[in-house]
């Protein structure tokens, strides 16, 4: 892959501090910027992959609900269950047992 130049403006104090930090790591500022850029791109690609997986999971769940192939739990039942669990957590947190 051919190299290209990336030019941008940065505060002089930040540039000096970054160059000093890079030197402390025995790297040039350009080397360190390339590392940071690669990490950011890799993280973004991983996030995109997770987003695609999550969307697929949601679409599959909606399709199952639409087909009627899963047992649906009424909202009120779920809310009541969570209220009971929360009350139990609050009792444990306060030291009460009843």
């Amino acid at each position: 892959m051919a190299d290209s130049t990336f030019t941008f403006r940065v505060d002089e104090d930040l540039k000096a501090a970054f160059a000093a930090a890079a030197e402390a790591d025995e790297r040039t500022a350009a080397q360190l910027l390339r590392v940071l850029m690669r990490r950011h791109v890799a993280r973004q690609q991983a996030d995109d992959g997770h987003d695609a997986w999550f969307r697929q999971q949601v679409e599959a769940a909606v399709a199952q609900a639409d087909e009627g192939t899963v047992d649906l739990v009424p909202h009120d039942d779920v809310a009541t269950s969570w209220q009971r669990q929360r009350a139990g957590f609050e009792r444990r947190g306060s030291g009460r047992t009843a």
Side-chain angles (χ1 to χ4, degrees):
M1 186 179 320
D3 288 343
S4 65
T5 301
F6 194 122
T7 305
F8 60 97
R9 293 191 173 286
V10 65
D11 179 85
E12 187 61 40
D13 291 339
L14 177 59
K15 179 183 174 185
F18 187 75
E23 186 176 333
D25 286 343
E26 298 181 359
R27 296 180 180 202
T28 66
Q31 288 171 324
L32 193 51
L33 282 169
R34 283 190 289 275
V35 168
L36 293 171
M37 291 170 76
R38 285 186 191 106
R39 285 182 183 165
H40 185 76
V41 168
R43 185 174 33 237
Q44 182 67 38
Q45 289 171 342
D47 289 349
D48 287 348
H50 180 267
D51 186 62
W53 169 84
F54 183 76
R55 288 177 185 278
Q56 177 194 21
Q57 296 298 305
V58 169
E59 289 172 7
V62 169
Q64 285 181 330
D66 288 345
E67 293 168 1
T69 58
V70 294
D71 293 329
L72 300 178
V73 179
H75 172 76
D76 290 343
D77 292 354
V78 173
T80 300
S81 173
W82 279 107
Q83 287 170 351
R84 280 191 206 121
Q85 289 183 48
R86 181 179 178 149
F89 292 142
E90 289 174 348
R91 279 192 303 275
R92 280 185 253 155
S94 69
R96 294 186 318 232
T97 57

